[in-house]
Amino acid sequence: MTSIGTGYDLSNSVFSPDGRNFQVEYAMKAVENGGTSIGIKFKDGVVLAAEKIVTSKLLVPNSNKRIQTIDKHVGVVYSGLVPDGRHFVGRGRDEASSWRSTYKVPIPVPSLADRLGSYAQAYTLYNSVRPFGISSIIGGVDEDGAHLYMIEPSGSYWGYSAAAAGKGRQTAKTELEKLEFSSLTAKDAVKEAARIIYLAHEDSKDKEFELEMTWISASETNSIHQFVPEALLKEAKQFAAEATSPEDKMEE
């Protein structure tokens, strides 16, 4: 970073001479230090998954959820600073509630992504605030089918067939690119998401983690965002453990 030390990294509202906003770049570093999160879009829905690092044996299992519901038909998972993520989810719920109150229908997923992207971008404009230290992956099902978006600290957002954020992003992205999304079923997507999270965790294999997964499917959940049933989650974990075992890698 050629401009560090000249004061251009002290404020959101000042560009460096080469046109960079260092505070946004630092926010991306915060995302890269967070646990891996992914989203996969399949034929009639979306699966969201998160690698939740267990930082203490005293923590209650399954507490501090990293995947949350914005509206009945929309869920979000994020990598980065957890408090920032909670605030961002709260803003998403406000936007969904406002849309429902005004138009008497659930908010379309692309409209929600647009509003949240604009909100994130506003936090890159003023000296009195800082960018959100998260990348969030939003998935949902509306009248136009399944949607998946990732919103970055800069406020930019894109529609994806699959997306990944966090420390294991590159490993996850490589595996996601191998999937055939057009033929992927809901249960297959759950198993693949678990496998990819397990693979991405190998960079932090000295730390314990919890696998958190939700899904939204027109056929499986009636287009409602829900946590994956315990039986299917257990099956997905077993599939992931076997697929990433050292024996399997030696055979390959």
Side-chain angles (χ1 to χ4, degrees), residues 4-212:
I4 284 185
T6 59
Y8 295 106
D9 62 339
L10 300 179
S11 170
N12 285 331
S13 56
V14 178
F15 285 106
S16 73
D18 51 352
R20 296 163 68 178
N21 186 329
F22 287 117
Q23 291 295 321
V24 171
E25 293 184 24
Y26 296 159
M28 287 300 299
K29 291 295 182 183
V31 173
E32 291 172 9
N33 289 331
T36 307
S37 59
I38 64 171
I40 299 175
K41 185 167 73 170
F42 51 90
K43 285 191 291 187
D44 68 342
V46 171
V47 166
L48 302 176
E51 169 206 24
K52 193 166 66 178
I53 301 294
V54 178
T55 56
S56 170
K57 293 182 179 180
L58 301 178
L59 288 172
V60 177
N62 300 316
S63 60
N64 294 323
K65 299 292 188 187
R66 283 263 309 284
I67 309 179
Q68 294 172 286
T69 298
I70 289 182
D71 202 346
K72 288 193 299 183
H73 65 301
V74 186
V76 60
V77 60
Y78 50 83
S79 290
L81 304 179
V82 175
D84 287 24
R86 288 178 180 154
H87 176 83
F88 200 68
V89 170
R91 176 68 181 199
R93 289 170 176 167
D94 290 342
E95 294 288 359
S97 176
S98 172
W99 185 284
R100 194 181 288 269
S101 175
T102 302
Y103 300 108
K104 312 304 178 188
V105 294
I107 188 169
V109 182
S111 297
L112 177 64
D114 181 66
R115 289 187 172 202
L116 286 178
S118 296
Y119 184 67
Q121 192 264 342
Y123 273 66
T124 70
L125 300 177
Y126 306 105
N127 193 39
S128 57
V129 296
R130 63 163 174 77
F132 285 97
I134 58 165
S135 284
S136 58
I137 300 172
I138 295 174
V141 176
D142 57 26
E143 291 182 350
D144 296 323
H147 303 271
L148 187 73
Y149 291 89
M150 183 162 70
I151 303 174
E152 298 178 353
S154 64
S156 64
Y157 67 93
W158 307 89
Y160 287 89
S161 295
K167 184 174 288 187
R169 181 185 68 85
Q170 196 57 52
T171 299
K173 183 180 175 184
T174 300
E175 293 299 317
L176 289 169
E177 289 173 348
K178 299 175 183 177
L179 300 179
E180 292 290 338
F181 302 104
S182 59
S183 60
L184 207 59
T185 66
K187 292 182 178 178
D188 286 342
V190 167
K191 291 181 179 179
E192 289 295 339
R195 180 183 67 82
I196 291 168
I197 290 291
Y198 270 64
L199 275 174
H201 179 69
E202 289 191 357
D203 293 337
S204 307
K205 57 186 175 183
D206 55 322
K207 301 176 183 177
E208 292 186 18
F209 81 103
E210 292 179 1
L211 174 63
E212 200 171 297

